[in-house]
Amino acid sequence: MVLTRRARLLVSVAMATAATVSSVMWGAGKATGAVSVPVPVSAPVPVAAVAAKPVPAHRSVAPEADISHHGHVSLWGEELGVWLLSENHGPSDVMRSTVRLRFSVVLTGRQEMPSACLQADARTVLCRTGPLRAGGAAGRQFALELQLAGRPNEVVVRIDTAWNGGVTDRNPQNDRHEVLAPATGDEYVF
């Protein structure tokens, strides 16, 4: 353990004080006949006197992973298509996570979604990814065909991670997107 100059000084003062207290108490005990317990020379050093080991700036108990969502959105008539790929760039595996898709228009009618997805409310769909291995090798793909209320000129789709399996993600920018899709039938990539 490396001690700073001040810490070494405090340690030597503490040891000298302990030795002095010990001799005074021991001597006082003999002179007065009172019983006293000598303080050993190797008395504990105050915690403040010992230089603490520096703690890393980012210390976390949770494993670290980097979940990302990419794909495209296409709007034509009353239908909105969303193709989504969720991946994990690591370094740790993710046991499960949930991606959230929020829409600026109301979903109506029968929705065609994968079994891993459900409609949470009139404007939100949640999809569970299942396990995502580190390295992005085995991502999870979703294809959704959604029915919209009316024939909007455009739709805004917001994509983000609702649950990341309890991992630390220091790069959340690649799993949060906002896409404007005009009613052209073209694919708008995120």
Side-chain angles (χ1 to χ4, degrees), residues 22-38:
S22 175
S23 64
V24 168
M25 288 181 71
W26 192 252
K30 288 181 180 176
T32 63
V35 177
S36 65
V37 178

Side-chain angles (χ1 to χ4, degrees), residues 3 26 38 40 64 68-69 74 97 104 108-109 122 125 139 141 150-152 165 167 170 177 179 182 184 190:
L3 298 177
W26 192 252
E64 185 178 341
S68 70
H69 308 294
S74 184
S97 69
S104 62
T108 187
V125 171
Q141 295 183 19
R151 296 177 66 90
V167 299
R170 294 188 189 166
H177 305 283
V179 183
T184 60
F190 59 91

Side-chain angles (χ1 to χ4, degrees), residues 6-179:
R6 181 171 182 206
R8 285 194 305 261
L9 178 63
L10 289 172
V11 168
S12 63
V13 168
M15 291 174 73
T17 303
T20 304
V21 168
S22 175
S23 64
V24 168
M25 288 181 71
W26 192 252
K30 288 181 180 176
T32 63
V35 177
S36 65
V37 178
V39 177
V41 175
S42 61
V45 179
V47 176
V50 179
K53 194 174 189 181
V55 178
H58 294 289
R59 195 167 187 182
S60 174
V61 176
E64 185 178 341
D66 181 17
I67 298 173
S68 70
H69 308 294
H70 298 287
H72 64 266
V73 177
S74 184
L75 173 63
W76 63 98
E78 298 173 353
E79 295 184 26
L80 178 69
V82 179
W83 180 84
L84 176 71
L85 173 64
S86 295
E87 296 177 302
N88 173 17
H89 299 289
S92 299
D93 292 345
V94 174
M95 299 313 333
R96 59 187 153 274
S97 69
T98 304
V99 60
R100 175 176 37 218
L101 301 134
R102 291 177 287 169
F103 308 98
S104 62
V105 298
V106 175
L107 304 175
T108 187
R110 184 169 185 264
Q111 306 302 329
E112 293 189 33
M113 292 185 275
S115 61
C117 299
L118 62 87
Q119 186 171 346
D121 61 36
R123 295 175 186 247
T124 308
V125 171
L126 300 171
C127 298
R128 69 176 185 270
T129 65
L132 296 174
R133 294 181 52 105
R140 178 71 190 261
Q141 295 183 19
F142 301 98
L144 296 91
E145 289 186 27
L146 305 170
Q147 301 296 313
L148 306 176
R151 296 177 66 90
N153 292 330
E154 61 187 26
V155 172
V156 176
V157 181
R158 291 175 185 86
I159 301 103
D160 68 336
T161 301
W163 166 245
N164 67 4
V167 299
T168 300
D169 189 344
R170 294 188 189 166
N171 183 22
Q173 293 78 18
N174 63 357
D175 66 326
R176 296 181 188 152
H177 305 283
E178 186 170 303
V179 183

